Amino acid sequence: MVDTQVMPDAATPMTFPSLNQAFNTVFRPGELTVGLVVPLDAHHGRPVPDMTRHIERAQMADELGFAALWLRDVPFNAPTFGDAGQMFDPFVYLGMLSGVTRNIALGVASIILPLRHPAHVAKAAASADQLSGGRLLLGVASGDRPEEYPALGMSFPDRGARFQESLAYIRAMSAEYPTFTGDHGILNGSMDMLPKPVSGRVPILITGGSQQNPDWVASHGDGWMTYPRDIALQAQVVKDYRSRGANAGADKKPVMQSLYVDLVAEDDAEPTPIHLGFRSGVAFLKTYLGSLRGHGINHVALNLRFNHADIEDTVNRLADEVLPEFPTEKSMQ
């Protein structure tokens, strides 16, 4: 996973559509920006994080110029999963973060669509987008924790079909007096849902495969969230995603991934693997991110759960030593 020696493909000129402030700032063709997964807390093997300074750390990330903060949708603390996320409901937390931050994009990676009615998702997402001034990025997924489904009266095997219909319902809700017919309900155009997203629609990024055909994934989202892989394989995966989108006549779309990191004090420390990431010095991290950029990844969400150094020291170090090489559009102005 940590080999960075593969040469990037020749750059293909592309443009991304203009969707909202968050999308336009976080995703730029040929560039890579850096975000952080909340909570900014190193809780290692403990499933429940310490949220004592979660607001101050979110504000710190905003002030230091990170591109985005990423929340997750974890309704239950399932022992088999071993991770309670940020504990707070993501839409409630988005409302809070909208009021205490100014510039940083606010993303969810990802809302589990089969576990929520799409009308509620559409209204909550549009509300968060309005309250934040267009800073919302909505990741969506089909879910991967079977224990949660019976608790909500849902079937796990058919979650892919419900995911697909939910996405269509949410898209429909952006129109005035929408019409829609499906298993989630019927909208006959006689009533509207408010508010609408700031720029007409919320950017939606599909996570992984979400129980869908790869061609469907490439053509139906505004972008794609994927997972860390061996860098040569990641290059092939990104190329395949964009090729499928092009074959379907879709616009060029951004790709982002998550990455667990444990940043050590020695700048030149070589990488050693950890869960979905690596422990290394800052020099290797910059080289690795640069290689991802060369292969078409547009954003990386760093997760510091397994970090051993002080979290605030690490966030400051990332801002001082990494962000200058991977700036947001605003920080370049």
Side-chain angles (χ1 to χ4, degrees):
M1 148 164 194
V2 295
D3 177 16
T4 63
Q5 302 305 308
V6 178
M7 294 299 292
D9 295 329
T12 301
M14 68 172 74
T15 58
F16 297 149
S18 178
L19 297 183
N20 70 358
Q21 176 183 323
F23 189 91
N24 301 344
T25 300
V26 173
F27 301 123
R28 304 190 311 279
E31 299 295 335
L32 180 146
T33 59
V34 178
L36 297 167
V37 177
V38 298
L40 295 174
D41 175 68
H43 49 112
H44 299 273
R46 294 179 288 110
V48 179
D50 177 4
M51 302 293 285
T52 304
R53 291 182 52 78
H54 68 103
I55 292 297
E56 292 91 336
R57 289 173 176 174
Q59 291 173 316
M60 183 171 105
D62 183 26
E63 292 164 2
L64 290 172
F66 286 89
L69 291 172
W70 293 96
L71 290 62
R72 289 179 296 158
D73 187 12
V74 185
F76 297 96
N77 181 23
T80 54
F81 183 55
D83 189 349
Q86 76 278 338
M87 296 192 294
F88 303 130
D89 176 87
F91 286 119
V92 175
Y93 200 24
L94 283 168
M96 179 69 179
L97 292 175
S98 294
V100 299
T101 60
R102 295 180 299 170
N103 297 311
I104 198 164
L106 303 174
V108 187
S110 292
I111 294 297
I112 309 304
L113 288 190
L115 296 181
R116 296 173 180 258
H117 195 284
H120 295 147
V121 175
K123 188 173 183 76
S127 299
D129 192 53
Q130 279 284 349
L131 290 168
S132 64
R135 290 190 285 133
L136 179 67
L137 296 170
L138 183 65
V140 294
S142 61
D144 57 4
R145 297 183 287 280
E147 302 96 324
E148 295 175 344
Y149 288 75
L152 295 168
M154 300 290 183
S155 169
F156 187 70
D158 66 352
R159 67 196 186 282
R162 296 202 309 280
F163 172 90
Q164 190 172 131
E165 187 189 282
S166 290
L167 186 58
Y169 190 114
I170 293 166
R171 290 289 200 202
M173 296 300 292
S174 294
E176 293 186 5
Y177 293 90
T179 59
F180 182 85
T181 299
D183 291 341
H184 285 98
I186 298 172
L187 299 169
N188 62 11
S190 64
M191 58 184 182
D192 202 4
M193 177 176 280
L194 299 174
K196 301 299 183 187
V198 169
S199 300
R201 72 177 190 185
V202 170
I204 297 178
L205 295 92
I206 296 174
T207 304
S210 289
Q211 304 296 301
Q212 308 301 317
N213 179 289
D215 292 322
W216 188 94
V217 171
S219 61
H220 281 75
D222 295 312
W224 189 41
M225 295 184 178
T226 188
Y227 308 97
R229 297 178 178 87
D230 171 88
I231 206 153
L233 177 58
Q234 191 75 306
Q236 295 172 7
V237 166
V238 171
K239 185 176 180 179
D240 179 72
Y241 169 76
R242 291 210 166 103
S243 175
R244 290 177 184 275
N247 291 339
D251 290 337
K252 301 295 185 181
K253 300 176 182 181
V255 179
M256 63 167 285
Q257 72 161 67
S258 57
L259 182 68
Y260 284 84
V261 294
D262 178 7
L263 199 62
V264 302
E266 298 79 12
D267 285 353
D268 296 327
E270 291 297 314
T272 57
I274 62 174
H275 174 69
L276 295 177
F278 51 80
R279 177 178 298 111
S280 80
V282 72
F284 177 81
L285 176 60
K286 290 192 290 187
T287 299
Y288 184 83
L289 293 176
S291 186
L292 290 179
R293 176 174 57 193
H295 290 301
I297 295 289
N298 303 110
H299 181 75
V300 173
L302 299 179
N303 193 321
L304 301 179
R305 176 181 177 179
F306 301 115
N307 202 69
H308 283 82
D310 178 83
I311 288 294
E312 292 174 14
D313 288 347
T314 298
V315 171
N316 274 299
R317 190 174 172 209
L318 289 168
D320 290 342
E321 302 183 45
V322 176
L323 292 193
E325 296 191 25
F326 305 95
T328 64
E329 186 175 26
K330 284 186 177 295
S331 66
M332 296 168 63
Q333 295 173 350

